[in-house]
């Protein structure tokens, strides 16, 4: 079954066409990578699914429902979570408080929020940092905190935009493990420049160039 679908979508910015008549379908349970050179339209394409970008024409669906005009916060309620929606971690709040901001969108009551916060921090390996201020975490850990916030939103589709950018090689390896774990309970759509990561994680790869999908398939 198609989880997220795009039908003949385009997005124009003044004279520029960022996405040009693209159709795209992602199956439930899939880990999909979108690759392509800078400016290919990858962020614009996934933005149509997260709701950050409204297509100039065409249709976006989620579980068969038309979501083309749905604002991104409503899409979060459907389970579409884009890590950039939470990129702005609050540096002066603790990690646990940051994750609680996300968790309270899903849970009612302090106790349940607390359980969700601990579970999300545990999944990304930040339990020991729960009471530390987010702003003093090393960069790689801040990115993990963003993922914890996304997980607290209980995604059905988690969209990650260049998640390994700026991570050290050892951090990339553990990030791949983390995504594999997430993929057991959610579909994952990932924009990624690191081909090793793409080949390790993706079941299918979509290649974009100049606003179009030029190839799609499974890594061999
Ligand atoms: P990168 O790998 O550099 O992030 P990308 O493949 O994600 O690139 P997009 O960010 O989708 O590409 O951009 C596609 C094209 O659309 C680029 O030429 C970009 O400059 C342009 N573009 C994207 N967003 C906007 C915007 N809000 N206003 C004007 N032009 C935009």
């Amino acid at each position: 079954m198609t989880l997220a679908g795009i039908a003949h979508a385009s997005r124009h910015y003044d004279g520029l066409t960022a996405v040009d008549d693209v159709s795209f379908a992602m199956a439930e349970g899939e880990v999909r990578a979108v690759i392509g050179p800078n400016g290919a339209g990858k962020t614009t394409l996934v933005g149509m699914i997260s709701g950050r970008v409204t297509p100039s024409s065409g249709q976006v669906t989620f579980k068969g429902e038309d979501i083309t005009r749905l604002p991104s916060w409503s899409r979060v309620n459907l389970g579409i979570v884009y890590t950039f929606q939470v990129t702005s971690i609050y540096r002066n709040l603790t990690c646990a408080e940051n994750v609680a901001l996300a968790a309270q969108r899903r849970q009612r009551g302090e106790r349940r929020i607390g359980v969700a916060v601990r579970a999300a921090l545990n999944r990304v390996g930040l339990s020991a940092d729960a009471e530390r201020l987010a702003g003093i975490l090393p960069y790689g850990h801040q990115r993990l905190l963003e993922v914890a916030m996304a997980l607290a939103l209980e995604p059905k589709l988690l969209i990650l935009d260049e998640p390994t950018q700026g991570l050290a090689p050892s951090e990339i390896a553990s990030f791949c493990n983390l995504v594999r774990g997430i993929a057991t309970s959610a579909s994952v759509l990932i924009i990624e420049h690191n081909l090793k990561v793409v080949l390790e994680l993706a079941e299918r790869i979509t290649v974009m160039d100049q606003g179009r999908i030029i190839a799609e398939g499974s890594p061999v």
Side-chain angles (χ1 to χ4, degrees):
M1 177 188 163
T2 299
L3 181 67
I6 294 179
H8 296 289
S10 298
R11 174 68 209 213
H12 310 289
Y13 292 107
D14 301 321
L16 187 141
T17 301
V19 166
D20 187 8
D21 191 26
V22 163
S23 295
F24 171 90
M26 196 180 148
E28 198 148 6
E30 195 180 326
V31 178
R32 173 75 64 98
V34 182
I35 65 173
N38 290 341
K42 306 179 296 294
T43 300
T44 306
L45 184 80
V46 304
M48 290 178 179
I49 298 173
S50 71
R52 284 177 78 235
V53 174
T54 308
S56 310
S57 59
Q59 192 191 35
V60 184
T61 57
F62 188 70
K63 293 189 166 179
E65 233 184 278
D66 188 337
I67 58 163
T68 313
R69 311 269 150 211
L70 205 65
S72 51
W73 52 268
S74 301
R75 298 188 199 201
V76 171
N77 292 338
L78 293 178
I80 304 173
V81 178
Y82 182 58
T83 43
F84 268 29
Q85 281 160 341
V86 293
T87 289
S88 43
I89 56 170
Y90 292 91
R91 301 178 62 84
N92 296 326
L93 295 183
T94 65
C95 294
E97 287 166 342
N98 269 283
V99 180
L101 289 175
Q104 69 192 15
R105 285 194 63 157
R106 284 282 184 266
Q107 314 292 338
R108 288 276 163 267
E110 235 171 83
R111 200 186 61 81
R112 293 175 75 154
I113 292 171
V115 169
V117 168
R118 281 190 293 280
L121 286 172
N122 187 39
R123 277 180 84 178
V124 304
L126 285 182
S127 293
D129 295 304
E131 301 311 323
R132 296 180 75 199
L133 291 183
I136 60 170
L137 292 183
Y139 177 76
H141 286 192
Q142 291 187 3
R143 306 241 36 187
L144 291 174
L145 179 59
E146 287 169 20
V147 176
M149 293 169 79
L151 290 175
L153 290 167
E154 300 178 347
K156 292 193 175 68
L157 171 60
L158 179 63
I159 303 176
L160 301 162
D161 196 341
E162 299 188 23
T164 66
Q165 201 181 31
L167 296 190
S170 63
E171 291 175 321
I172 290 178
S174 55
F175 187 83
C176 286
N177 282 332
L178 171 61
V179 173
R180 266 194 292 273
I182 293 170
T184 61
S185 61
S187 305
V188 179
L189 175 58
I190 179 168
I191 297 179
E192 180 58 61
H193 282 290
N194 182 328
L195 269 189
K196 192 164 170 279
V197 172
V198 169
L199 294 174
E200 203 169 315
L201 291 178
E203 291 155 60
R204 285 177 71 76
I205 300 172
T206 297
V207 187
M208 289 192 76
D209 190 27
Q210 298 187 2
R212 289 177 169 267
I213 291 175
I214 57 166
E216 212 158 53
S218 308
V220 268

mmCIF file of all heavy atoms in Angstrom, residues 144-180:
data_model
loop_
_atom_site.group_PDB
_atom_site.id
_atom_site.type_symbol
_atom_site.label_atom_id
_atom_site.label_comp_id
_atom_site.label_asym_id
_atom_site.label_seq_id
_atom_site.Cartn_x
_atom_site.Cartn_y
_atom_site.Cartn_z
ATOM 1 N N LEU A 144 21.028 14.048 17.459
ATOM 2 C CA LEU A 144 20.312 12.906 18.049
ATOM 3 C C LEU A 144 19.122 13.387 18.869
ATOM 4 O O LEU A 144 18.069 12.751 18.888
ATOM 5 C CB LEU A 144 21.252 12.076 18.932
ATOM 6 C CG LEU A 144 22.337 11.298 18.194
ATOM 7 C CD1 LEU A 144 23.282 10.643 19.193
ATOM 8 C CD2 LEU A 144 21.729 10.252 17.266
ATOM 9 N N LEU A 145 19.297 14.531 19.510
ATOM 10 C CA LEU A 145 18.192 15.100 20.284
ATOM 11 C C LEU A 145 17.016 15.455 19.365
ATOM 12 O O LEU A 145 15.850 15.226 19.704
ATOM 13 C CB LEU A 145 18.672 16.336 21.056
ATOM 14 C CG LEU A 145 17.630 17.065 21.904
ATOM 15 C CD1 LEU A 145 17.030 16.137 22.964
ATOM 16 C CD2 LEU A 145 18.258 18.292 22.579
ATOM 17 N N GLU A 146 17.340 15.992 18.196
ATOM 18 C CA GLU A 146 16.277 16.271 17.218
ATOM 19 C C GLU A 146 15.524 14.992 16.854
ATOM 20 O O GLU A 146 14.299 15.003 16.731
ATOM 21 C CB GLU A 146 16.871 16.830 15.917
ATOM 22 C CG GLU A 146 17.366 18.238 16.003
ATOM 23 C CD GLU A 146 18.176 18.599 14.767
ATOM 24 O OE1 GLU A 146 18.055 17.939 13.724
ATOM 25 O OE2 GLU A 146 18.934 19.557 14.865
ATOM 26 N N VAL A 147 16.274 13.900 16.692
ATOM 27 C CA VAL A 147 15.624 12.631 16.347
ATOM 28 C C VAL A 147 14.754 12.163 17.517
ATOM 29 O O VAL A 147 13.632 11.683 17.315
ATOM 30 C CB VAL A 147 16.667 11.555 15.954
ATOM 31 C CG1 VAL A 147 15.976 10.218 15.685
ATOM 32 C CG2 VAL A 147 17.457 11.997 14.723
ATOM 33 N N ALA A 148 15.255 12.347 18.745
ATOM 34 C CA ALA A 148 14.450 11.972 19.922
ATOM 35 C C ALA A 148 13.149 12.766 19.946
ATOM 36 O O ALA A 148 12.078 12.224 20.250
ATOM 37 C CB ALA A 148 15.247 12.204 21.205
ATOM 38 N N MET A 149 13.237 14.060 19.614
ATOM 39 C CA MET A 149 12.024 14.889 19.582
ATOM 40 C C MET A 149 11.064 14.381 18.510
ATOM 41 O O MET A 149 9.851 14.329 18.710
ATOM 42 C CB MET A 149 12.393 16.355 19.343
ATOM 43 C CG MET A 149 13.154 16.957 20.520
ATOM 44 S SD MET A 149 13.871 18.570 20.150
ATOM 45 C CE MET A 149 12.424 19.621 20.299
ATOM 46 N N ALA A 150 11.631 13.993 17.376
ATOM 47 C CA ALA A 150 10.797 13.449 16.297
ATOM 48 C C ALA A 150 10.140 12.146 16.741
ATOM 49 O O ALA A 150 8.953 11.922 16.496
ATOM 50 C CB ALA A 150 11.641 13.223 15.040
ATOM 51 N N LEU A 151 10.890 11.296 17.426
ATOM 52 C CA LEU A 151 10.340 10.007 17.874
ATOM 53 C C LEU A 151 9.224 10.203 18.890
ATOM 54 O O LEU A 151 8.251 9.442 18.916
ATOM 55 C CB LEU A 151 11.446 9.130 18.468
ATOM 56 C CG LEU A 151 12.467 8.599 17.459
ATOM 57 C CD1 LEU A 151 13.574 7.841 18.177
ATOM 58 C CD2 LEU A 151 11.792 7.708 16.420
ATOM 59 N N ALA A 152 9.356 11.240 19.725
ATOM 60 C CA ALA A 152 8.314 11.520 20.718
ATOM 61 C C ALA A 152 6.998 11.912 20.043
ATOM 62 O O ALA A 152 5.933 11.846 20.661
ATOM 63 C CB ALA A 152 8.775 12.620 21.668
ATOM 64 N N LEU A 153 7.081 12.306 18.777
ATOM 65 C CA LEU A 153 5.874 12.631 18.016
ATOM 66 C C LEU A 153 5.259 11.377 17.373
ATOM 67 O O LEU A 153 4.301 11.472 16.609
ATOM 68 C CB LEU A 153 6.186 13.680 16.933
ATOM 69 C CG LEU A 153 6.491 15.082 17.466
ATOM 70 C CD1 LEU A 153 7.099 15.956 16.372
ATOM 71 C CD2 LEU A 153 5.232 15.731 18.014
ATOM 72 N N GLU A 154 5.839 10.230 17.677
ATOM 73 C CA GLU A 154 5.336 8.932 17.205
ATOM 74 C C GLU A 154 5.116 8.906 15.697
ATOM 75 O O GLU A 154 3.993 8.721 15.222
ATOM 76 C CB GLU A 154 4.044 8.563 17.949
ATOM 77 C CG GLU A 154 4.269 8.456 19.444
ATOM 78 C CD GLU A 154 2.998 8.133 20.220
ATOM 79 O OE1 GLU A 154 1.894 8.234 19.628
ATOM 80 O OE2 GLU A 154 3.108 7.804 21.414
ATOM 81 N N PRO A 155 6.178 9.084 14.924
ATOM 82 C CA PRO A 155 6.010 9.163 13.464
ATOM 83 C C PRO A 155 5.600 7.835 12.835
ATOM 84 O O PRO A 155 6.023 6.772 13.285
ATOM 85 C CB PRO A 155 7.415 9.556 12.985
ATOM 86 C CG PRO A 155 8.346 9.079 14.038
ATOM 87 C CD PRO A 155 7.595 9.203 15.330
ATOM 88 N N LYS A 156 4.746 7.955 11.813
ATOM 89 C CA LYS A 156 4.505 6.806 10.933
ATOM 90 C C LYS A 156 5.451 6.940 9.739
ATOM 91 O O LYS A 156 5.869 5.954 9.154
ATOM 92 C CB LYS A 156 3.056 6.806 10.450
ATOM 93 C CG LYS A 156 2.076 6.532 11.564
ATOM 94 C CD LYS A 156 0.693 6.235 10.992
ATOM 95 C CE LYS A 156 -0.275 5.847 12.091
ATOM 96 N NZ LYS A 156 -0.553 7.008 12.987
ATOM 97 N N LEU A 157 5.733 8.187 9.392
ATOM 98 C CA LEU A 157 6.718 8.475 8.348
ATOM 99 C C LEU A 157 7.681 9.516 8.913
ATOM 100 O O LEU A 157 7.279 10.624 9.238
ATOM 101 C CB LEU A 157 6.032 9.027 7.087
ATOM 102 C CG LEU A 157 6.970 9.553 6.006
ATOM 103 C CD1 LEU A 157 7.903 8.466 5.493
ATOM 104 C CD2 LEU A 157 6.164 10.137 4.839
ATOM 105 N N LEU A 158 8.933 9.111 9.044
ATOM 106 C CA LEU A 158 9.952 10.029 9.546
ATOM 107 C C LEU A 158 10.790 10.503 8.363
ATOM 108 O O LEU A 158 11.341 9.696 7.611
ATOM 109 C CB LEU A 158 10.844 9.321 10.575
ATOM 110 C CG LEU A 158 11.978 10.170 11.159
ATOM 111 C CD1 LEU A 158 11.434 11.355 11.939
ATOM 112 C CD2 LEU A 158 12.865 9.316 12.062
ATOM 113 N N ILE A 159 10.860 11.823 8.200
ATOM 114 C CA ILE A 159 11.621 12.405 7.089
ATOM 115 C C ILE A 159 12.886 13.042 7.651
ATOM 116 O O ILE A 159 12.819 13.932 8.506
ATOM 117 C CB ILE A 159 10.772 13.459 6.341
ATOM 118 C CG1 ILE A 159 9.469 12.826 5.842
ATOM 119 C CG2 ILE A 159 11.571 14.046 5.184
ATOM 120 C CD1 ILE A 159 8.511 13.804 5.180
ATOM 121 N N LEU A 160 14.025 12.563 7.184
ATOM 122 C CA LEU A 160 15.314 13.056 7.669
ATOM 123 C C LEU A 160 16.041 13.742 6.520
ATOM 124 O O LEU A 160 16.255 13.141 5.468
ATOM 125 C CB LEU A 160 16.157 11.878 8.180
ATOM 126 C CG LEU A 160 15.558 11.041 9.308
ATOM 127 C CD1 LEU A 160 16.266 9.690 9.409
ATOM 128 C CD2 LEU A 160 15.669 11.782 10.627
ATOM 129 N N ASP A 161 16.411 15.008 6.712
ATOM 130 C CA ASP A 161 17.077 15.762 5.647
ATOM 131 C C ASP A 161 18.558 15.904 5.995
ATOM 132 O O ASP A 161 18.912 16.635 6.916
ATOM 133 C CB ASP A 161 16.415 17.143 5.502
ATOM 134 C CG ASP A 161 16.788 17.817 4.191
ATOM 135 O OD1 ASP A 161 17.787 17.427 3.562
ATOM 136 O OD2 ASP A 161 16.076 18.765 3.798
ATOM 137 N N GLU A 162 19.381 15.173 5.286
ATOM 138 C CA GLU A 162 20.833 15.160 5.494
ATOM 139 C C GLU A 162 21.214 14.979 6.964
ATOM 140 O O GLU A 162 21.943 15.794 7.542
ATOM 141 C CB GLU A 162 21.454 16.430 4.910
ATOM 142 C CG GLU A 162 21.203 16.515 3.417
ATOM 143 C CD GLU A 162 21.972 17.655 2.759
ATOM 144 O OE1 GLU A 162 22.983 18.093 3.309
ATOM 145 O OE2 GLU A 162 21.538 18.066 1.682
ATOM 146 N N PRO A 163 20.738 13.888 7.564
ATOM 147 C CA PRO A 163 20.942 13.712 9.013
ATOM 148 C C PRO A 163 22.387 13.472 9.409
ATOM 149 O O PRO A 163 22.756 13.746 10.554
ATOM 150 C CB PRO A 163 20.082 12.495 9.346
ATOM 151 C CG PRO A 163 19.991 11.737 8.065
ATOM 152 C CD PRO A 163 19.968 12.770 6.991
ATOM 153 N N THR A 164 23.221 12.962 8.502
ATOM 154 C CA THR A 164 24.599 12.635 8.915
ATOM 155 C C THR A 164 25.577 13.771 8.634
ATOM 156 O O THR A 164 26.758 13.658 8.935
ATOM 157 C CB THR A 164 25.113 11.357 8.219
ATOM 158 O OG1 THR A 164 25.220 11.607 6.807
ATOM 159 C CG2 THR A 164 24.198 10.182 8.458
ATOM 160 N N GLN A 165 25.052 14.864 8.072
ATOM 161 C CA GLN A 165 25.914 16.004 7.789
ATOM 162 C C GLN A 165 26.554 16.510 9.082
ATOM 163 O O GLN A 165 25.870 16.769 10.066
ATOM 164 C CB GLN A 165 25.072 17.111 7.170
ATOM 165 C CG GLN A 165 25.882 18.104 6.379
ATOM 166 C CD GLN A 165 24.976 19.190 5.808
ATOM 167 O OE1 GLN A 165 23.958 19.540 6.407
ATOM 168 N NE2 GLN A 165 25.332 19.713 4.663
ATOM 169 N N GLY A 166 27.879 16.605 9.087
ATOM 170 C CA GLY A 166 28.573 17.122 10.257
ATOM 171 C C GLY A 166 28.847 16.089 11.340
ATOM 172 O O GLY A 166 29.377 16.427 12.390
ATOM 173 N N LEU A 167 28.462 14.828 11.090
ATOM 174 C CA LEU A 167 28.730 13.800 12.097
ATOM 175 C C LEU A 167 30.087 13.147 11.833
ATOM 176 O O LEU A 167 30.514 13.009 10.686
ATOM 177 C CB LEU A 167 27.649 12.708 12.063
ATOM 178 C CG LEU A 167 26.220 13.100 12.420
ATOM 179 C CD1 LEU A 167 25.360 11.856 12.560
ATOM 180 C CD2 LEU A 167 26.173 13.905 13.714
ATOM 181 N N ALA A 168 30.745 12.721 12.912
ATOM 182 C CA ALA A 168 32.008 11.992 12.788
ATOM 183 C C ALA A 168 31.707 10.575 12.308
ATOM 184 O O ALA A 168 30.597 10.081 12.503
ATOM 185 C CB ALA A 168 32.700 11.957 14.141
ATOM 186 N N PRO A 169 32.693 9.908 11.673
ATOM 187 C CA PRO A 169 32.452 8.546 11.156
ATOM 188 C C PRO A 169 31.872 7.590 12.198
ATOM 189 O O PRO A 169 30.963 6.815 11.880
ATOM 190 C CB PRO A 169 33.841 8.092 10.695
ATOM 191 C CG PRO A 169 34.549 9.366 10.335
ATOM 192 C CD PRO A 169 34.026 10.407 11.285
ATOM 193 N N SER A 170 32.355 7.660 13.440
ATOM 194 C CA SER A 170 31.825 6.735 14.458
ATOM 195 C C SER A 170 30.367 7.071 14.775
ATOM 196 O O SER A 170 29.543 6.195 15.038
ATOM 197 C CB SER A 170 32.663 6.822 15.730
ATOM 198 O OG SER A 170 32.560 8.122 16.275
ATOM 199 N N GLU A 171 30.045 8.363 14.718
ATOM 200 C CA GLU A 171 28.658 8.779 14.977
ATOM 201 C C GLU A 171 27.748 8.329 13.827
ATOM 202 O O GLU A 171 26.592 7.989 14.038
ATOM 203 C CB GLU A 171 28.583 10.300 15.122
ATOM 204 C CG GLU A 171 29.250 10.830 16.385
ATOM 205 C CD GLU A 171 29.273 12.343 16.462
ATOM 206 O OE1 GLU A 171 29.484 13.008 15.409
ATOM 207 O OE2 GLU A 171 29.102 12.883 17.562
ATOM 208 N N ILE A 172 28.299 8.334 12.604
ATOM 209 C CA ILE A 172 27.504 7.910 11.449
ATOM 210 C C ILE A 172 27.125 6.445 11.587
ATOM 211 O O ILE A 172 25.982 6.052 11.333
ATOM 212 C CB ILE A 172 28.276 8.179 10.128
ATOM 213 C CG1 ILE A 172 28.361 9.689 9.887
ATOM 214 C CG2 ILE A 172 27.602 7.484 8.950
ATOM 215 C CD1 ILE A 172 29.138 10.095 8.660
ATOM 216 N N ALA A 173 28.068 5.626 12.048
ATOM 217 C CA ALA A 173 27.788 4.195 12.208
ATOM 218 C C ALA A 173 26.658 3.982 13.214
ATOM 219 O O ALA A 173 25.729 3.208 12.960
ATOM 220 C CB ALA A 173 29.050 3.464 12.648
ATOM 221 N N SER A 174 26.708 4.698 14.333
ATOM 222 C CA SER A 174 25.645 4.465 15.309
ATOM 223 C C SER A 174 24.336 5.085 14.838
ATOM 224 O O SER A 174 23.255 4.588 15.162
ATOM 225 C CB SER A 174 26.029 4.932 16.715
ATOM 226 O OG SER A 174 26.411 6.270 16.696
ATOM 227 N N PHE A 175 24.436 6.155 14.032
ATOM 228 C CA PHE A 175 23.213 6.740 13.478
ATOM 229 C C PHE A 175 22.506 5.731 12.562
ATOM 230 O O PHE A 175 21.282 5.611 12.578
ATOM 231 C CB PHE A 175 23.534 8.024 12.714
ATOM 232 C CG PHE A 175 22.309 8.749 12.273
ATOM 233 C CD1 PHE A 175 21.644 9.593 13.139
ATOM 234 C CD2 PHE A 175 21.789 8.547 11.000
ATOM 235 C CE1 PHE A 175 20.481 10.233 12.747
ATOM 236 C CE2 PHE A 175 20.633 9.189 10.603
ATOM 237 C CZ PHE A 175 19.975 10.034 11.480
ATOM 238 N N CYS A 176 23.297 5.000 11.763
ATOM 239 C CA CYS A 176 22.704 3.992 10.875
ATOM 240 C C CYS A 176 21.972 2.926 11.687
ATOM 241 O O CYS A 176 20.870 2.501 11.320
ATOM 242 C CB CYS A 176 23.774 3.346 9.996
ATOM 243 S SG CYS A 176 24.341 4.441 8.674
ATOM 244 N N ASN A 177 22.573 2.505 12.799
ATOM 245 C CA ASN A 177 21.899 1.541 13.672
ATOM 246 C C ASN A 177 20.590 2.091 14.198
ATOM 247 O O ASN A 177 19.578 1.402 14.254
ATOM 248 C CB ASN A 177 22.796 1.174 14.869
ATOM 249 C CG ASN A 177 23.859 0.189 14.458
ATOM 250 O OD1 ASN A 177 23.660 -0.590 13.527
ATOM 251 N ND2 ASN A 177 24.993 0.240 15.136
ATOM 252 N N LEU A 178 20.643 3.359 14.582
ATOM 253 C CA LEU A 178 19.446 4.009 15.104
ATOM 254 C C LEU A 178 18.331 4.008 14.051
ATOM 255 O O LEU A 178 17.176 3.667 14.342
ATOM 256 C CB LEU A 178 19.792 5.445 15.529
ATOM 257 C CG LEU A 178 18.635 6.350 15.904
ATOM 258 C CD1 LEU A 178 17.862 5.797 17.091
ATOM 259 C CD2 LEU A 178 19.147 7.766 16.237
ATOM 260 N N VAL A 179 18.667 4.386 12.824
ATOM 261 C CA VAL A 179 17.644 4.446 11.768
ATOM 262 C C VAL A 179 17.082 3.052 11.488
ATOM 263 O O VAL A 179 15.879 2.893 11.288
ATOM 264 C CB VAL A 179 18.206 5.094 10.483
ATOM 265 C CG1 VAL A 179 17.206 4.988 9.335
ATOM 266 C CG2 VAL A 179 18.562 6.549 10.742
ATOM 267 N N ARG A 180 17.957 2.055 11.516
ATOM 268 C CA ARG A 180 17.453 0.685 11.305
ATOM 269 C C ARG A 180 16.442 0.307 12.390
ATOM 270 O O ARG A 180 15.432 -0.339 12.112
ATOM 271 C CB ARG A 180 18.616 -0.312 11.296
ATOM 272 C CG ARG A 180 19.113 -0.597 9.871
ATOM 273 C CD ARG A 180 20.006 -1.817 9.868
ATOM 274 N NE ARG A 180 21.235 -1.524 10.587
ATOM 275 C CZ ARG A 180 22.308 -0.981 10.025
ATOM 276 N NH1 ARG A 180 22.295 -0.717 8.743
ATOM 277 N NH2 ARG A 180 23.376 -0.717 10.725
#
